[in-house]
Amino acid sequence: MCGINGIFSYHYASRPVDVDELRRTRDAMYSRGPDGAGEWHSRDHRVSLAHRRLKIIDLSDAAKQPMQSGCGRFVVSLSGEIFNYAVLRRELEGRGYPFRTESDTEVLLAMFAEFGTRMFGRLRGMYAFAIWDRQERRLLLARDPFGIKPLYLANDGWTLRFASQVQALRAGGAVSDQSEPAAAAGFFLFGFVPEPFTQWQEIRSLSPGCYTWVDALGPGPETSHFDWPAMAQIASGTRAPGEIAEAVRDSVTAHSVGDVPVGLLYSGGIDSSALSQLGGQAAQRIHVHFQGLPRPAFDNADVHVRTVTVEEFEADLPLIISAMDVPSIDGVNCWFAAKACREMGLKSAIIGVGGDELWAGYPAFRDVPGWHRRLGWMRWLPGMGRLAGWGLAGLSRVLGLHSKLEGVPRLCGTQSGSYVLRRALHLPWRLGSIIERDWAALGMERLDLGRRLQQMVPASWRGKPAAVFALESRVYLSGQLLRTADWAGFAHGVEFRMPYLDPALWRQCLGHAMAVQHRHHGAKSDLARAAGLAWQDGYRKQGFVTPFPAMPGRSYLERMRAWSLDIWNRAGNGDAPA
Amino acid sequence: MTRVMALMSDAWGGYGGIQQFNRDFCDALAERAVTVLVRRGPNVTHGNRTQVRPRFGKAGYALRVYREAKGLQDDSIIFCGHLRLLPLAILARKISGRPVWLQLHGIEAWPIPSRLVRRLVIQCDLVTAVSRYTRRRFLRWANIPPERVKVLPNSPRDIFTPGSADAHVLGALGLAADQFLLSVARLDRTESNKGLEMLLHAYADIHARHPEVRLVIAGDGNARADIQALAGRLSLQDSVVLPGRVTDQELVSLYRGARLFAMPSVKEGFGIVFLEALACGCPVLGFDRDGSVDPLRDGAGGLLSSPKSLAGDIAAVLEGEVVVSPDGSWFTRDKFFRHVAALLQDPHLQAGH
């Protein structure tokens, strides 16, 4: 639930918080939290927190935010849910904590008062929050392990501003309008703006799974509270179907808490069917069908099918573009799914996002290790790749071969290069023909993919197939899927819950997925079996299909390229003259 | 005992804003032993602060940095007082494994530097910029996490205090208290950007209505004749006073006696003269587009103007339509000292390698 924001005038020379600015930012997030608004100001006007509320857990006014702890020392503004709040609450009550509300927010406050930052390992949920410590005069900002809930920071050197949305920070009026070249380069390279960048230079996201302290010197270094390799060690080795089923059921059950009904977005594919079978039986299933695309045949009739016509799609496209908090070529499907939920009166829905990352469903899980294994030797021949690339580029043009072929010798020498090639919309050295050449070069330098991707992979996974799990989760999932699911959902005041992005489930099943990563579709067949679904070897991914408008181009890649240019220009990201 | 190795172009024995900052910074390090390696200036010792100027030019300087870096202990830090010296600071970091703290003074950090500097700057552990604007310009090209770049503003020297102007000083220049506008600048042709010509034109506009108010531009340099000539062309030679370079004592009196201090600069890293004026109780006016907005605290500490509205804004102050009350308490030496002491404890410097 909810949208959060705040201003901290941490530097001694900065001006006190401008309350009007705080409210402008907060109310620019109206659709994230139409059920109420709150604000809290420190007595010296140096720090303010604000909140827009979507009521999900404890619908009473006692649970409104920002909320102060019983002792009065901490103030919190929370976006998202702590799903295991009931368990934690019982434990804290055992330790003598009195509770005034039924909300998860109060449990978060008590957890922090009791455990400090050691609490993160105990939290099960999707969250982004700010906690102001009145005694130490410092602010804690944090995000959940996968980065499901967004948190953007704008630090000008005197004042720190943060919010759940990029556009809301700009709406406040005090954040620089300097655009970020890495955003343009990243968008045309991948089709989305990679974390931590946004289209504005001054606005960055807090990294997923990290927290940071802000004190009189400003934000400190980011600290990770989520340990990837440790997770895979706990889980090494394969799991029996029963164990997988139990782990998924546990997560779905945990993700179904709340005081409002929770729906389930149903594509008819393995991921959403398994969620429905394992724990999600009670949830109303919703399927979004785009006119003109094939419609899957459902065996049971209780799926609510919402058909989107071509006319509706075209009429809504401007709304979708304006809702895009950060530009992306994805999100249309999520946007209509959220619209369908809203029409049915649902504020909350379970979605299968993260299934391909956990169960190694994407082709990248096979292609990246394979390409790197066969072509890794190329990095020992400096210049060879480039030379061979030129040759292949010429050949591709003459023979009409795949336009990314020329990237093979230049990129496949390294694992991260292979990953870039797999996910690329355009090749890095071709960006200069889409956006201004110097801007593209500066953008690529700031993206610094070689170093950035290397750092995302835990040291013990580097060079191994396991690295793809980290790359998919920290590049594509966090930069593309989670950012779009967030803005698309909140355009309609709907939160998406993602049982596949649950640390407890990953601890159980990641080792299994790694053991069968080499198989076609990875662990998808095991998931199907665990859920009692029929599995055919000719399985094709269902997923949420996006109906691209009639775009020129023969291949899927060419249509995506045309679509990306259209999005970028419509979103008015001026600095990239075509 | 913690040691600081500071690489600076010059500190003691130098004249100018950066040199003043360097001396202040060393003073603020308080108890710590500081070795300052400078390119210019004398070999001197002030308490536990030692300034050393290695001989034999750049090569000798680099060699000395290398030798000092070898001897750095586990709790030392390397302070780099100028972007130009960054390659040597990073070299010292490689040798000693100790963190590097880089200071940005202003316009040197604005243009995009060479690829080498862009690669080296990523390795800085902490960067402090004099103003938010300089920080933003730096972050446009420096691919460094923004939280590692802080703002460390200047502070005025102790001699700048409020009080009444020395009548002798003003009398010698033919001035009366509250009857003149003041600007202070180094009148170099290279610093033509100080916007003094704009100020003269604006002054010409309001002169007819306020003939009793004179304009004083203190400072010397090869552009002084140009300013004089422009004043002549605008028929203001009797109203514009160019006293040249003034002593500290004279400067304090000018600040105290001025009706308004105006520095309409368009390329200002920070503008310590604003702080000097404020510390002497003089209202200030600056432009709204660069580092100047920091000493003026976004308009809370002084009047923010623009090239188009400059004449009107000055007239409004003279006619009492706009009241700008000076408050020198925001940027003090005490705050600067405490800020430096706190930054020494910053986690970015403690992380180690």
Side-chain angles (χ1 to χ4, degrees):
Chain A
M1 64 177 156
C2 319
I4 60 169
N5 70 297
I7 301 175
F8 181 13
S9 299
Y10 62 81
H11 197 283
Y12 61 76
S14 63
R15 295 178 73 176
V17 172
D18 175 353
V19 177
D20 290 333
E21 184 203 333
L22 182 84
R23 288 179 192 154
R24 277 196 298 275
T25 299
R26 183 192 69 188
D27 295 337
M29 299 187 289
Y30 177 82
S31 65
R32 296 185 78 88
D35 299 340
E39 58 194 45
W40 177 87
H41 312 283
S42 69
R43 254 179 241 135
D44 60 1
H45 308 292
R46 303 304 290 181
V47 59
S48 287
L49 304 181
H51 189 261
R52 282 221 71 100
R53 184 166 180 219
L54 182 69
K55 292 180 183 171
I56 304 273
I57 296 175
D58 189 347
L59 310 183
S60 75
D61 278 345
K64 80 183 181 86
Q65 295 189 50
M67 184 186 278
Q68 292 198 45
S69 61
C71 58
R73 176 173 165 185
F74 305 108
V75 189
V76 70
S77 197
L78 163 72
S79 157
E81 321 282 350
I82 310 297
F83 293 120
N84 61 340
Y85 75 102
V87 179
L88 299 175
R89 181 183 167 129
R90 276 195 295 278
E91 181 188 328
L92 290 161
E93 278 172 338
R95 289 168 181 259
Y97 275 89
F99 285 89
R100 296 157 290 163
T101 72
E102 298 299 318
S103 80
D104 52 340
T105 313
E106 198 182 357
V107 174
L108 175 68
L109 273 172
M111 282 296 286
F112 184 67
E114 179 69 20
F115 299 106
T117 54
R118 285 177 297 124
M119 74 174 168
F120 284 106
R122 310 278 317 276
L123 301 181
R124 189 177 195 180
M126 50 176 191
Y127 51 81
F129 61 77
I131 293 180
W132 173 246
D133 181 340
R134 299 170 77 176
Q135 190 173 313
E136 298 286 327
R137 294 196 58 75
R138 55 182 192 164
L139 185 72
L140 177 72
L141 298 171
R143 262 180 105 187
D144 62 68
F146 293 94
I148 300 174
K149 288 290 126 198
L151 188 58
Y152 295 101
L153 276 56
N155 171 21
D156 71 3
W158 278 11
T159 304
L160 179 90
R161 299 170 170 87
F162 65 88
S164 300
Q165 277 179 244
V166 171
Q167 311 286 29
L169 279 172
R170 287 278 301 134
V175 174
S176 150
D177 63 354
Q178 177 74 35
S179 43
E180 170 61 64
F187 179 81
F188 286 106
L189 186 63
F190 291 123
F192 57 89
V193 178
E195 295 239 354
F197 296 102
T198 71
Q199 61 272 48
W200 309 107
Q201 196 158 97
E202 203 166 275
I203 307 179
R204 301 267 181 118
S205 62
L206 182 67
S207 299
C210 286
Y211 67 85
T212 188
W213 285 105
V214 191
D215 60 15
L217 292 179
E222 286 184 355
T223 308
S224 171
H225 61 77
F226 186 55
D227 189 356
W228 287 81
M231 202 167 61
Q233 272 157 20
I234 294 169
S236 65
T238 53
R239 291 274 180 280
E243 290 176 292
I244 292 175
E246 197 39 56
V248 175
R249 189 174 289 120
D250 176 59
S251 179
V252 177
T253 310
H255 282 72
S256 304
V257 300
D259 299 325
V260 295
V262 178
L264 191 150
L265 293 170
Y266 191 72
S267 68
I270 296 293
D271 289 340
S272 56
S273 301
L275 292 178
S276 176
Q277 288 293 317
L278 300 168
Q281 289 91 342
Q284 168 66 55
R285 288 182 290 176
I286 300 142
H287 178 80
V288 177
H289 172 245
F290 291 99
Q291 191 184 31
L293 292 173
R295 177 178 158 175
F298 300 121
D299 42 358
N300 22 21
D302 60 343
V303 178
H304 174 85
V305 178
R306 169 69 162 84
T307 301
V308 179
T309 62
V310 176
E311 292 76 40
E312 184 185 3
F313 173 80
E314 276 168 6
D316 281 356
L317 194 54
L319 296 177
I320 298 172
I321 304 279
S322 71
M324 266 182 196
D325 200 35
V326 186
S328 161
I329 58 171
D330 202 356
V332 171
N333 41 16
C334 273
W335 196 87
F336 282 107
K339 187 177 179 183
C341 289
R342 195 69 203 166
E343 287 164 356
M344 298 176 70
L346 291 170
K347 284 180 181 178
S348 188
I350 284 172
I351 187 170
V353 169
D356 287 307
E357 283 76 6
L358 171 57
W359 308 111
Y362 295 123
F365 282 95
R366 265 67 62 191
D367 293 348
V368 170
W371 295 350
H372 180 238
R373 194 172 56 242
R374 286 187 207 103
L375 297 164
W377 53 272
M378 297 215 62
R379 71 177 178 284
W380 304 112
L381 300 169
M384 255 313 276
R386 188 175 288 243
L387 209 62
W390 283 335
L392 280 175
L395 210 61
S396 302
R397 258 196 301 281
V398 175
L399 299 177
L401 302 176
H402 199 285
S403 61
K404 291 204 292 192
L405 189 63
E406 58 164 313
V408 171
R410 280 181 76 169
L411 289 171
C412 289
T414 63
Q415 206 173 30
S416 47
S418 306
Y419 181 74
V420 170
L421 182 67
R422 189 72 193 79
R423 281 282 172 208
L425 199 55
H426 293 274
L427 294 169
W429 51 90
R430 296 280 175 210
L431 295 179
S433 58
I434 310 156
I435 49 178
E436 208 227 315
R437 188 169 294 275
D438 291 345
W439 195 246
L442 192 60
M444 283 307 296
E445 183 180 318
R446 289 170 73 82
L447 273 181
D448 198 5
L449 285 174
R451 204 168 57 104
R452 207 175 287 279
L453 297 192
Q454 169 103 1
Q455 281 172 356
M456 284 179 178
V457 178
S460 58
W461 292 5
R462 280 180 202 152
K464 297 179 186 159
V468 187
F469 284 90
L471 290 170
E472 284 293 3
S473 302
R474 303 186 66 180
V475 182
Y476 182 67
L477 177 75
S478 68
Q480 172 84 308
L481 299 180
L482 296 180
R483 276 181 168 181
T484 53
D486 183 79
W487 59 251
F490 277 110
H492 301 283
V494 172
E495 66 157 30
F496 290 128
R497 300 180 172 194
M498 305 168 186
Y500 287 131
L501 295 181
D502 176 53
L505 176 62
W506 279 59
R507 269 192 289 274
Q508 285 291 319
C509 296
L510 183 59
H512 177 88
M514 283 180 173
V516 300
Q517 182 184 349
H518 58 277
R519 288 200 321 227
H520 199 44
H521 297 302
K524 281 292 178 80
S525 57
D526 300 321
L527 176 66
R529 223 162 284 136
L533 301 167
W535 173 265
Q536 290 117 19
D537 281 339
Y539 168 76
R540 281 179 68 87
K541 187 171 156 45
Q542 282 288 336
F544 277 107
V545 192
T546 301
F548 300 107
M551 281 288 168
R554 289 165 302 160
S555 67
Y556 179 72
L557 186 66
E558 279 175 37
R559 285 204 302 279
M560 291 292 259
R561 285 175 175 175
W563 171 242
S564 69
L565 204 57
D566 192 37
I567 296 263
W568 188 259
N569 292 333
R570 279 169 189 255
N573 295 292
D575 267 291
Chain B
M1 190 65 204
T2 318
R3 279 190 56 198
V4 176
M5 177 171 82
L7 312 186
M8 294 170 171
S9 45
D10 50 350
W12 284 279
Y15 165 75
I18 292 180
Q19 294 72 15
Q20 182 62 49
F21 176 89
N22 286 343
R23 288 192 294 270
D24 289 350
F25 182 82
C26 293
D27 287 345
L29 291 173
E31 301 301 308
R32 291 173 185 245
V34 188
T35 306
V36 188
L37 299 180
V38 292
R39 298 274 287 117
R40 290 179 294 278
N43 289 315
V44 287
T45 300
H46 293 273
N48 52 5
R49 301 180 293 276
T50 311
Q51 170 168 305
V52 181
R53 183 179 66 83
R55 299 192 313 173
F56 309 118
K58 284 182 183 169
Y61 188 83
L63 196 66
R64 185 61 186 257
V65 171
Y66 177 83
R67 275 173 41 208
E68 291 282 336
K70 283 249 173 214
L72 282 183
Q73 287 139 11
D74 280 352
D75 52 356
S76 315
I77 65 160
I78 301 155
F79 179 81
C80 181
H82 201 283
L83 198 55
R84 265 202 308 266
L85 296 168
L86 185 65
L88 286 175
I90 297 297
L91 175 77
R93 185 182 185 275
K94 282 256 184 291
I95 294 165
S96 63
R98 299 310 307 152
V100 166
W101 173 350
L102 169 69
Q103 170 70 23
L104 308 172
H105 300 281
I107 54 172
E108 89 279 8
W110 295 4
I112 299 184
S114 68
R115 181 176 277 271
L116 173 74
V117 174
R118 298 207 301 272
R119 290 178 73 97
L120 292 179
V121 85
I122 300 173
Q123 300 184 44
C124 289
D125 300 86
L126 181 71
V127 182
T128 45
V130 71
S131 63
R132 288 171 294 171
Y133 183 78
T134 295
R135 177 181 182 274
R136 191 184 310 148
R137 289 292 297 260
F138 171 74
L139 282 173
R140 260 189 225 179
W141 58 261
N143 198 13
I144 185 169
E147 65 269 17
R148 266 197 258 163
V149 189
K150 316 267 179 194
V151 175
L152 173 63
N154 282 339
S155 67
R157 282 179 289 155
D158 293 335
I159 56 163
F160 298 102
T161 52
S164 54
D166 185 337
H168 293 293
V169 172
L170 298 189
L173 292 168
L175 299 168
D178 275 341
Q179 293 296 329
F180 64 96
L181 305 172
L182 175 67
S183 198
V184 177
R186 207 186 298 188
L187 302 180
D188 289 341
R189 288 214 170 100
T190 52
E191 296 203 15
S192 58
N193 45 42
K194 288 285 182 195
L196 291 173
E197 291 180 8
M198 240 184 281
L199 180 61
L200 273 175
H201 285 290
Y203 177 67
D205 283 354
I206 49 181
H207 185 250
R209 267 187 292 164
H210 301 278
E212 76 290 354
V213 176
R214 306 183 74 183
L215 173 64
V216 181
I217 301 175
D220 203 3
N222 52 20
R224 191 170 158 199
D226 302 351
I227 300 287
Q228 189 106 50
L230 179 61
R233 280 202 301 282
L234 296 168
S235 313
L236 298 169
Q237 60 272 42
D238 296 331
S239 306
V240 174
V241 183
L242 298 171
R245 190 171 157 182
V246 295
T247 64
D248 284 347
Q249 194 194 355
E250 288 167 332
L251 187 57
V252 169
S253 282
L254 285 172
Y255 281 135
R256 287 175 178 176
R259 180 77 168 273
L260 177 72
F261 176 83
M263 192 172 68
S265 153
V266 288
K267 264 184 135 183
E268 192 59 59
F270 180 81
I272 191 162
V273 283
F274 287 117
L275 298 188
E276 294 173 355
L278 286 169
C280 293
C282 178
V284 297
L285 176 146
F287 276 165
D288 58 359
R289 47 209 57 205
D290 53 18
S292 315
V293 300
D294 279 20
L296 272 61
R297 297 186 64 240
D298 302 329
L303 187 59
L304 287 180
S305 186
S306 68
K308 280 201 179 115
S309 66
L310 182 59
D313 288 337
I314 295 176
V317 174
L318 292 179
E319 286 152 20
E321 285 172 25
V322 174
V323 179
V324 203
S325 27
D327 183 352
S329 68
W330 289 96
F331 299 91
T332 60
R333 229 173 145 67
D334 189 38
K335 281 184 175 165
F336 176 79
F337 276 33
R338 272 186 280 146
H339 199 180
V340 170
L343 284 165
L344 284 168
Q345 304 300 322
D346 188 89
H348 294 99
L349 284 181
Q350 308 300 320
H353 311 297

